Amino acid sequence: MTPVDDRVPVTFYSVIDIGYELVLRLCAVIILSPAFTVPGALLIVVGFWMSHIYMKADLSLKRELNIAKAPVMGHIGAAVAGLGKSSIVSFDRDTATDKCLVSIRAYNAQESFKREAHHRIDTYTSVYRTYMGLYWWIAVRGELLAGAFSSALAAYLVYGARRDASEIGFSLAMASKFKNCCHCHPVC
């Protein structure tokens, strides 16, 4: 329970910090360019909608990822931890036993160990690739939203609004930081 208890406050703090940063940056853009109130609100609504879809899919994929990871770690752990024991592991998935093996080579079990390890790793890899595909789905769409917002703001400030160069630079710097604020990394 300690790893969960240690992560919750840190994660909560980062969510609050990123939320404040996004709101302050958007407010700075809107103060200098009031015409971007509606696009900013639209950006927030679409961002929340996409994150809602992502979180629903992420929950079940993360569960499947953990289910697929446990047998890989257990298989290797049983082989390493069982080196001092006096019995052999059955590599049959249907009738898995809790017996440990003295040595994989001593009983000529290399091929069955490799077969089982490859099967478990293949299962984990297919789930992990789907999980990373989901991550890149949200990352690409978030980058597109932030890039479209920054590009539209740049076009408006350069061609439409009559502002000082310093105000334009500040507003564009604030808008371009949306990309950095929204970027996240999956925890596996």
Side-chain angles (χ1 to χ4, degrees):
M1 198 66 179
T2 302
V4 173
D5 291 340
D6 290 345
R7 282 187 184 179
V8 169
V10 173
T11 304
F12 182 71
Y13 174 77
S14 359
V15 167
I16 296 298
D17 187 43
I18 290 170
Y20 279 138
E21 187 176 351
L22 284 172
V23 168
L24 290 175
R25 289 186 189 282
L26 185 61
C27 287
V29 168
I30 290 173
I31 287 170
L32 291 174
S33 306
F36 271 78
T37 304
V38 173
L42 187 63
L43 179 74
I44 290 172
V45 168
V46 171
F48 274 117
W49 175 71
M50 285 189 337
S51 68
H52 181 70
I53 291 171
Y54 173 77
M55 291 306 290
K56 277 188 164 192
D58 182 63
L59 180 65
S60 56
L61 265 177
K62 192 69 162 175
R63 186 178 306 119
E64 288 296 322
L65 187 67
N66 287 333
I67 290 169
K69 185 190 256 185
V72 173
M73 298 302 172
H75 183 64
I76 294 169
V80 172
L83 290 176
K85 309 278 177 152
S86 63
S87 57
I88 188 163
V89 171
S90 169
F91 289 100
D92 185 16
R93 281 185 294 284
D94 299 329
T95 59
T97 61
D98 293 334
K99 299 176 184 174
C100 295
L101 58 115
V102 174
S103 172
I104 294 170
R105 278 197 178 165
Y107 292 102
N108 200 17
Q110 298 100 316
E111 288 307 313
S112 58
F113 180 80
K114 284 181 188 177
R115 250 191 330 274
E116 183 64 20
H118 285 167
H119 172 74
R120 291 178 185 204
I121 290 170
D122 287 346
T123 303
Y124 173 73
T125 303
S126 66
V127 175
Y128 184 75
R129 288 185 71 194
T130 305
Y131 178 75
M132 289 308 295
L134 178 67
Y135 165 72
W136 285 113
W137 180 87
I138 192 71
V140 166
R141 279 148 184 82
E143 294 281 334
L144 284 174
L145 275 177
F149 182 77
S150 298
S151 299
L153 179 65
Y156 170 76
L157 290 174
V158 171
Y159 299 114
R162 300 289 177 231
R163 298 271 184 195
D164 292 337
S166 61
E167 290 176 350
I168 291 173
F170 177 75
S171 186
L172 289 177
M174 291 294 111
S176 69
K177 294 294 181 175
F178 281 129
K179 227 177 0 179
N180 297 343
C181 292
C182 297
H183 199 269
C184 61
H185 299 284
V187 179
C188 297

